[in-house]
Structure formats: C-alpha cells, structure tokens
Amino acid sequence: MSAFEFDGTTVAGPEEALALAVAQALRGIRGANPLVGAIITASDGRVLASGYHRGRGTAHAEVEALAGFNGPNESTRINPADATLWITLEPCDHTGTTGPCTEAILASGIRRVRYAVADPTGPDGGGAARLRSAGLDVQQVDAGQVRRAGADDLNRRWTLARDSGRPFVTAHLAQSLDGRVAAADGTSQWITGPESRRHAHRVRSRVDAIIVGTGTVLADDPRLTARDEDGHDLPLQPVPVVQGRRAVPAGAALRGGASWLHVESHDPQVVLDQLTAGDPGHVLIEGGPTVLSAWMGAGLVDELFLYQAPLVLGSGPTGLDLPQLTTLPHALRLTLDAAENGAISRLGDDVLLHYAAP
C-alpha cells in the first residue's frame, strides 16, 4: 500500500497505530515467515507510509514502509527524526534471504521505533537492542494495547510451530456441499473449478514440501508440482513426500522430479522427523482423508484452505474422519483466518474458506 492511500488518515495513539499495522500484516501470506505489518506516522499522528511482508524472500514490512516513506510523496517533507515507525514484530538484526531490518531503519534517519511482539527465538532477535545501542528511542508497546490491537494473536500458530522445531503446516481440502471428496465410484477430478485449482498451485509454489498418502499416489498418480496459470512448471518446486507403507510404483509421476521422499509410516511425527534434514519452513498436506485426518488429529495443521464446490455427490468418502472425537465438547473448533485473501472469498463458482487451527 502506498502512502497516497493514507491521505487524511490519522491515529490517536499506540493502540490505533498497531491496529492499522496488524491490518497491513493480514494482507500477507502465512508460511515459513511470520505475518508482519508496519506503518510510519508523523508527530501529529498522520499516517505517512505502510508496508507488510509478502512472503519468504521479499522485503520485510518495515523496509517496505521505509521505501514508501522515502518515495515521492508528502512524507518527503517530513523530517525523519520527527516520525515514528510502528511494527507488529521486533525488527530483525540478521542476514537471511534479505538484509537486516535494523540497517534499513538506521539508514532512514527515523529515531523512534515502537513494536508489539518481541522476536521470539534464536538469531532473529536482537533488533531492538541493536537500535537502542545506536541511540534510537525503541520501546515495546504495552501488552494490553498489543492484545486489543490483535498483534499478540497474529502469529500464534507460526510461533507454536517454531517453538516445536517443526515447519508451518498448511492443509488443502476440496469437497462437495455434502462434504465428499470423491464420488461413490472413486472419481474426484474435478470437484472444484479451475480458479480453485489455480489458487491451490499458488499455495504449492510457496511451500518446501507437499505430503500425500500412498492411496492418493495409487489412485490419482499426481505429479505434485507447482504450476503457473498456463500449466507450466515453476522454476522452484516443492519436494513430493509420500506417507504410508505401500510401495510407490516405479512409474509414478512424482518420481520424475529432482527429488522425492517416501516415509513408510502413517505417523505424522515420523514424517516430520524425516523432513527435518531438509529444514523445511513450510509444508503442505494434500493427502486424502486418511492422511489429512492423521495430521488434524495430531494437532499439526496450522491453517486449512477449504475449497467448497457447489455440487452434491450424495455418497462417497468424506474429507475428514476422526473417530476419536465422539462428543460435541471434544470437537476441533477452527477459527476463520483473515490473512491473505480474507477468511471467505469466491473462486469462480467455488467458495474458499480460510481457517486457522485452534
């Protein structure tokens, strides 16, 4: 979002500033990196620029906001020393796929930084201390204001995954109105329309691995590649992972890629343990009901994209089967997730529901 879109917008204090930064963060996509949003305000509360993190390998939120602040807009007439940078997450002080955000902040001339949530663990932390050591006024916003602005819950599942030493886990589920993932005769291509399939490929394009069961391999023989809108394979591809004890046929389409993995177990934790060597930051569960149910039942799915098609199959397998949930109080209750496209969106004739795990 450019600074021009904020003409006339002002914030009255930290809570309003962080709420606007959270709204920016939710424009991003979940995955290997946390959602982060940032805004820059003048001393009178006018919003001068904003930014959000668009995914791994892209500019961080504060760097994008600083680019807008330094661009050809009203903010060029504001002394940077009179501006304040508000960020939902403590700035990083390390070099990964992008440079340290602390360096960009120091170069900007801004002297006041306010952040909501401390960078949780490991080498990504330390940004606030670095900026303070350079003489900047850096403060973490009051916890109550952070909570009310929604910044504390912004990356709850991402933090849980990171603290557990595992990748962020996304799942796909395409089903009919009556919850079927295939007809009684086993046919399932295609329940959803082309717009849903294009969205699914966009999600594939940002993950490190795609996990399916041996049943899916035997029934559908998927390639498990990420493809563009013309159907061509993208330059960077996720690693296909097959979960289950049955053999993968020698002629299986997924064997045609540079690498693939077969984990001869039905236990999601065993799959994660075998994936650890590759250090994936984001994996996608595209398996059938057995695989998806195992991951959901283990509490290892962080977000779910549910593609709801406008058709009724009448019979056939359902997308989830969790027999251990025998009473309503034990049900898994997901929450709608406003990140990326919003919690509910239309994809052609289909409806996409975006859920966050509890």
Side-chain angles (χ1 to χ4, degrees):
M1 179 175 286
S2 72
F4 296 110
E5 297 179 64
F6 283 115
D7 285 352
T9 302
T10 63
V11 293
E15 197 169 314
E16 288 188 11
L18 283 183
L20 189 54
V22 167
Q24 291 300 299
L26 286 170
R27 299 178 71 189
I29 57 176
R30 297 198 184 278
N33 289 356
L35 296 179
V36 185
I39 67 166
I40 299 173
T41 60
S43 57
D44 60 1
R46 281 179 300 134
V47 179
L48 304 171
S50 76
Y52 67 96
H53 185 50
R54 300 167 190 262
R56 181 168 48 184
T58 65
H60 287 193
E62 49 270 61
V63 173
E64 185 174 89
L66 290 168
F69 177 69
N70 293 323
N73 55 59
E74 181 188 6
S75 68
T76 58
R77 297 193 293 274
I78 300 295
N79 185 342
D82 295 329
T84 302
L85 173 63
W86 303 85
I87 321 167
T88 59
L89 185 68
E90 178 185 1
C92 71
D93 189 40
H94 78 289
T95 299
T97 54
T98 61
C101 292
T102 50
E103 295 293 340
I105 295 170
L106 291 171
S108 73
I110 287 178
R111 307 297 295 171
R112 278 191 302 278
V113 177
R114 301 291 182 264
Y115 67 93
V117 178
D119 207 323
T121 57
D124 297 346
R130 166 77 188 285
L131 295 174
R132 289 191 191 103
S133 69
L136 274 65
D137 174 8
V138 182
Q139 298 178 27
Q140 187 171 7
V141 179
D142 174 81
Q145 295 170 323
V146 168
R147 183 181 63 256
R148 290 189 294 272
D152 60 337
D153 198 46
L154 190 59
N155 293 297
R156 178 179 50 82
R157 289 293 302 200
W158 179 86
T159 302
L160 174 64
R162 181 179 178 125
D163 290 348
S164 301
R166 64 167 177 83
F168 187 85
V169 178
T170 297
H172 277 178
L173 176 57
Q175 65 178 27
S176 64
L177 285 176
D178 52 345
R180 312 290 178 176
V181 295
D185 64 358
T187 55
S188 61
Q189 295 182 339
W190 298 97
I191 288 177
T192 53
E195 293 86 352
S196 289
R197 296 196 293 275
R198 283 195 288 270
H199 180 273
H201 275 279
R202 288 197 295 272
V203 177
R204 279 185 177 187
S205 71
R206 61 195 189 224
V207 304
D208 301 299
I210 301 177
I211 300 171
V212 299
T214 50
T216 295
V217 173
L218 295 172
D220 298 335
D221 194 23
R223 286 194 290 149
L224 299 184
T225 57
R227 299 187 285 278
D228 63 22
E229 294 196 358
D230 296 322
H232 301 130
D233 285 355
L234 296 170
L236 296 178
Q237 290 292 328
V239 174
V241 178
V242 182
Q243 171 183 336
R245 297 192 178 93
R246 286 180 287 181
V248 177
L254 61 82
R255 287 178 175 267
S259 62
W260 66 284
L261 178 66
H262 183 195
V263 182
E264 296 183 33
S265 173
H266 295 138
D267 186 344
Q269 190 57 56
V270 174
V271 178
L272 286 174
D273 291 343
Q274 297 226 12
L275 281 172
T276 301
D279 195 26
H282 190 188
V283 302
L284 174 63
I285 309 302
E286 276 203 13
T290 301
V291 171
L292 180 56
S293 297
W295 285 77
M296 291 287 288
L300 291 172
V301 172
D302 300 304
E303 73 170 345
L304 172 68
F305 287 109
L306 173 61
Y307 304 91
Q308 186 78 62
L311 75 162
V312 176
L313 293 175
S315 62
T318 58
L320 287 168
D321 183 14
L322 298 169
Q324 68 270 34
L325 304 178
T326 58
T327 180
L328 186 61
H330 294 165
L332 291 178
R333 295 187 181 272
L334 308 183
T335 57
L336 289 169
D337 187 349
E340 191 175 350
N341 293 320
I344 304 173
S345 56
R346 181 173 177 176
L347 295 174
D349 292 331
D350 303 330
V351 173
L352 173 62
L353 301 172
H354 185 198
Y355 289 104

